Amino acid sequence: MTTQAPLDLKSTINLPKRILPMKANLVQSEPARLKRWKEMDLYHLILKSRQGRETFVLHDGPPYANGNIHIGHALNKILKDFIVKSRTMMGYACPFVPGWDCHGLPIEIQVDKKLGARKARMSVIDIRRAAREHAAYFVRAQSEDFQRLGVLGEFDNPYLTMDFRYQADIVRAFGQFVREGSVYKGLRAVHWCIHCQTALAEAEIEYRDRQSPSIYVKFPLAGDPARLDAALAGRSVSVVIWTTTPWTLPANLGIAFHPEAEYSAVEVNDAVYIVASALLDEVAGKLGWERWRILARFPGKKLDRLVARHPFIDRESLLMVGDHVTLDTGTGAVHTAPGHGYEDYLLGQEYGLEIYSPVDERGRFTEEVDHFAGLEVFEANPRIIEHMRRLGVLLAEEVITHSYPHCWRCHQPVIFRATPQWFISMDKTGLRQRALRAIESVTWLPEWGYERMRNVILQRPDWCISRQRLWGVPIVAFYCRQCETILITPSIIEHVAQIFEHKGADAWYEMEPHELLPPGTTCPHCGYDQFRKETDILDVWLDSGTSSLAVLPRRGLPWPADVYIEGGDQFRAWFNSSLTVALAARNQAPFRSVIAHGWTVDAQGEKMSKSKGNVIEPQEVIKKSGAEILRLWVASSNYHEEVRISNEILTRLIEAYRKIRNTACYMVNNLWDFDPQRDWIPLHQMLEIDRWILAELEEQLHRVRKAYENYQFYVVYHSLYKFCTVELSAIYFDILKDRLYTSAPKSLGRRSAQTALYLLLDKLTRLMAPILAFTADEIWERFLSHHQPNEAWRPSVHLAEFPASDAAFHDEGLLRRWRELMEIRRQVLKALEIKRAEKEIGSSLEAKVIITGGGPSFELLSQYEDQLPAIFIVSQTELRPAETQQLHIHVTRAEGQKCERCWNYSPSVGQHPRYPTVCQRCVTTLLELESGAHS
RNA sequence: GGGCCUGUAGCUCAGGUGGCCAGAGCGCACGCCUGAUAAGCGUGAGGUCGGAAGUUCAAGUCUUCCCAGGCCCA
């Protein structure tokens, strides 16, 4: 009985409702969400929810607390956040304690600049206080920037290497090396300014052009040269060296040759000289040789451990081989003074030479140097040259202009000079071998990390741990005021560590030696009880290398850590120092696995620099597009290599973000009248195409979970993105529109579709949550959280877990059939496009598709005949069997009139008197609606 | 100069142990739709796989060299 008026057609269409807006407004919404997270204390909420679960610890490598974060920091911390969030969603308890490296030269330099002239009047304590404030300021600034990226962690209680307890633990770590006997005090050549009378770090050096003497000097070979080659028997043979620092010749203890390079013994008049064959012509030119004859040729290694005489001192000079010798300038025979050059120093150590440096802190030769004692080295240069000329050992002399290190303060040229330093021996206690063994059981990602780490360990010299600076942790050692004996024992170190733990390392500068030492301490050598304190501080790499010990056990976390992830530059640095410290303390690597990431470079793959103008600041991207875009950038990149970033790349990512978001919008906004409790359709009752997309989703889930487990976030990104664009947006959602919009709201077909959409949304949101941390949480908050059966998960998606795989969704046959149907669909779309180009149709609903053929594909189509119009999104289809294996697709205009309600064409339009503009399918729906069958 | 790494369409990525005309998504061009609309759909054009030799019946995939770039060391 129908007394009511016909329904308004438009009002019977179930259009989506705006629950999740398309416009993200990330720049505004992100800070609001961060505030929300902070208010609910999300980080601790998550940890609480994982109580009792297996832990997974990513130990944070501390960035240096100087300056604001750059894009490389963003890459690093976002990667860490991906790992922490994804492992959390796998069900692990993942505490993340961010840290900062607070001591060291760069901060001290910055503070120096700020203090300017005032510094001279300040006490050590005041300067250290200023440095502490400087570090604290940047810890705060960086912490805010990291959190703005969406990184969750214990930011309210981070670890700082300048915390008192941490400082104490640094001292203790040093104590472990002392305990095992690897600490020694020795000499090492360092940059030294003879005007400022101070050691200089590399950062305090500036290179400027300078004129220097360039001289060639002969060193007569001692012993019988026939050992080298029979042709040289009885001859007097000399090695020719080249140097631009004549003043280092009094400290010459050796000559270095390249082991593989070929050298020639050449006869010039009556003399015989040894020179690298490759440099023979050049040397001959410099020395003015007109005629010469090659007597012998041999590789550099034949010279190894032979001996020459010093040209003007009664002393031997040892012939050695080293790979650092180059054949681009000079003679291929390198004058080596272990006290006056870094490579000289390393080679000298290898050959057991003395680190000899007869130059005092003012740059004057000491008394032991005949003829030149008391002379400043640069003044001595011409005197030494003259001396050698008189002795007839000077073969040539000229002046060259070259780049030379200068002091950054006084701008005077600096020298290399041996100074007393503290070292950790790599070999005395087998640290090197222990390190090599330890890294074998570590998982390296990428695999070549093992090789690189191994090379670092093999090649590294003893670790010089002392710095002549103020801002750091002092080397806890005392000197007897009577006999200069060094007092350094594990128990004294522990005693001082306890003082530091309560008062900080400043105590070293505030307290007297007897206050720092255990009561009653006397010199073990002479029994005296007065001491002075060491003034050197520790290398900051010992600070940060201590972090695993100063953080994990101290906070009740398991040791070693599950994973370290840092840039590839850290093999030599933090990975190395952390390993070394851990070996001394616990004889085990501090990490189970180590992941290396690349550096950020520009669109051309070149490094970013202000001068190139290719720098992209994370703060700018956040202000313009949102942190989510940076997160997407990190996810989209293969971070094991250099990671490119450019405006074009960011534009692409913004577009990708919109697509992903729109995909989510479609799902959320079509679920406005769906209550999973009430409207859920069990899998076995769902339409087959809905079961198909859920089977596809199940495959995605496997793929994505595996990618997370392997830290392959770019696989996560590409998989999810492609799934959103192709399977969902282009295929499934497009097909679904007709059913969602035109079916009766509560019909099985529509509820089946909504059930599928709900499952898709729920699972995809959780899968993307580690990456799109803000957006996933927004979807969660606006819709999904209301329906979570697990109440603990409701406050945030980051409390939830990844969807478990469910065999019920997997259906191999279903996938095979539907994938073939989709392949045929692609062919149909091509056929439609041809008719569209011919202006026969516009919308695909204006078409009828006629498929002629036979074989298995045709057989498949026949099985799904009634669903084909929906799948192809056309008004009608017709199957015509033929004697062929091929399918022929023919497109004509659809029959009948366009239904005003569903826009499909049908001959049935106009047949129903009550709804004359509507097709039979819609009439049925409308009559149902009228009768309230679905209300 | 040395150690390690990288170089596939405009962009981001696929291409185990060498074997169909080298793939995807995006972007781009052209078109459709206007009931996902600061949306949606389709079709199409884009690559001497950094370059050159070599091994092989066959190389993006193996070898050598070169070029460009990155990190570390010197």
Side-chain angles (χ1 to χ4, degrees), chain A residues 415-471:
Chain A
I415 64 170
F416 250 104
R417 175 173 173 266
T419 53
Q421 302 289 347
W422 290 87
F423 294 87
I424 289 171
S425 166
M426 290 307 292
D427 300 302
K428 258 187 203 168
T429 58
L431 268 176
R432 194 186 311 275
Q433 288 310 315
R434 283 147 69 197
L436 291 172
R437 213 173 312 125
I439 62 169
E440 280 173 17
S441 47
V442 170
T443 304
W444 300 89
L445 193 71
E447 282 180 28
W448 51 254
Y450 171 75
E451 193 62 26
R452 187 158 173 185
M453 194 69 240
R454 193 167 170 273
N455 283 328
V456 164
I457 293 166
L458 284 172
Q459 287 164 23
R460 69 157 304 168
D462 285 352
W463 184 1
C464 179
I465 53 169
S466 52
R467 298 290 184 273
Q468 292 71 53
R469 283 282 154 189
L470 296 178
W471 180 229

Side-chain angles (χ1 to χ4, degrees), chain A residues 539-553:
Chain A
D539 175 16
V540 285
W541 287 112
L542 194 81
D543 293 21
S544 57
T546 302
S547 64
S548 77
L549 298 165
V551 175
L552 305 182

Side-chain angles (χ1 to χ4, degrees), chain A residues 228-229 231-232 262-266 277 280 294-299 302:
Chain A
L228 209 46
D229 192 293
L232 302 178
E262 187 197 82
Y263 289 81
S264 297
V266 290
S277 303
L280 197 48
I294 294 175
L295 299 180
R297 298 176 211 266
F298 40 84
K302 276 205 84 170

Side-chain angles (χ1 to χ4, degrees), chain A residues 688 813-821 860 863-864:
Chain A
E688 196 172 318
L814 182 75
L815 282 171
R816 210 172 33 246
R817 292 194 303 275
W818 281 84
R819 282 175 183 172
E820 177 156 8
L821 285 172
L860 181 70
Q863 282 175 44
Y864 290 91

Side-chain angles (χ1 to χ4, degrees), chain A residues 412-656:
Chain A
Q412 298 294 317
V414 303
I415 64 170
F416 250 104
R417 175 173 173 266
T419 53
Q421 302 289 347
W422 290 87
F423 294 87
I424 289 171
S425 166
M426 290 307 292
D427 300 302
K428 258 187 203 168
T429 58
L431 268 176
R432 194 186 311 275
Q433 288 310 315
R434 283 147 69 197
L436 291 172
R437 213 173 312 125
I439 62 169
E440 280 173 17
S441 47
V442 170
T443 304
W444 300 89
L445 193 71
E447 282 180 28
W448 51 254
Y450 171 75
E451 193 62 26
R452 187 158 173 185
M453 194 69 240
R454 193 167 170 273
N455 283 328
V456 164
I457 293 166
L458 284 172
Q459 287 164 23
R460 69 157 304 168
D462 285 352
W463 184 1
C464 179
I465 53 169
S466 52
R467 298 290 184 273
Q468 292 71 53
R469 283 282 154 189
L470 296 178
W471 180 229
V473 174
I475 291 180
V476 175
F478 299 86
Y479 298 86
C480 173
R481 281 199 184 274
Q482 185 160 283
C483 70
E484 280 299 307
T485 293
I486 301 175
L487 195 59
I488 180 167
T489 68
S491 62
I492 289 174
I493 289 170
E494 177 54 34
H495 184 78
V496 174
Q498 285 181 20
I499 295 172
F500 283 8
E501 192 156 335
H502 295 106
K503 301 184 171 178
D506 281 354
W508 190 255
Y509 301 92
E510 291 166 329
M511 294 166 69
E512 295 302 321
H514 70 270
E515 298 173 299
L516 288 161
L517 283 163
T521 304
T522 56
C523 173
H525 185 249
C526 70
Y528 197 57
D529 62 354
Q530 297 290 308
F531 301 92
R532 70 181 163 82
K533 297 174 284 187
E534 169 64 67
T535 55
D536 288 0
I537 61 168
L538 287 162
D539 175 16
V540 285
W541 287 112
L542 194 81
D543 293 21
S544 57
T546 302
S547 64
S548 77
L549 298 165
V551 175
L552 305 182
R554 292 293 188 203
R555 294 178 187 239
L557 302 178
W559 191 99
D562 289 285
V563 64
Y564 277 35
I565 173 169
E566 304 296 337
D569 57 326
Q570 297 302 328
F571 281 100
R572 173 161 290 270
W574 191 57
F575 295 157
N576 183 230
S577 63
S578 297
L579 175 64
T580 310
V581 171
L583 286 171
R586 301 198 175 195
N587 211 23
Q588 192 187 338
F591 31 64
R592 287 203 167 84
S593 55
V594 174
I595 307 174
H597 69 244
W599 278 54
T600 49
V601 293
D602 71 6
Q604 274 67 247
E606 295 187 19
K607 67 173 97 180
M608 296 198 272
S609 71
K610 271 188 189 148
S611 58
K612 278 189 198 164
N614 57 358
V615 176
I616 292 188
E617 304 278 3
Q619 294 85 354
E620 289 299 309
V621 180
I622 289 169
K623 208 155 57 176
K624 223 178 107 198
S625 313
E628 200 83 308
I629 302 304
L630 280 178
R631 299 181 69 96
L632 210 52
W633 162 67
V634 175
S636 74
S637 309
N638 178 357
Y639 61 87
H640 294 307
E641 304 163 8
E642 285 77 60
V643 180
R644 294 177 187 228
I645 188 164
S646 67
N647 286 321
E648 181 186 356
I649 291 169
L650 288 171
T651 304
R652 288 295 97 81
L653 289 165
I654 290 166
E655 285 161 356

Side-chain angles (χ1 to χ4, degrees), chain A residues 840-848 873-875 892-895 903 905:
Chain A
E840 285 222 25
I841 58 166
S843 159
S844 60
L845 286 176
E846 290 166 29
K848 171 179 181 177
I873 319 184
V874 295
S875 286
T892 64
R893 269 202 74 88
E895 294 154 17
W903 298 350
Y905 284 70

Side-chain angles (χ1 to χ4, degrees), chain A residues 51 57 92 237 333 452 459 472 494 567 570 641 666 674 691 697 762 772 899 920 934:
Chain A
Q51 241 168 27
V57 175
Y92 293 95
V237 179
R452 187 158 173 185
Q459 287 164 23
E494 177 54 34
Q570 297 302 328
E641 304 163 8
Y666 179 95
F674 182 78
R691 293 202 329 255
L697 173 69
D762 181 66
L772 294 175
C899 168
Q920 182 54 50
H934 283 272

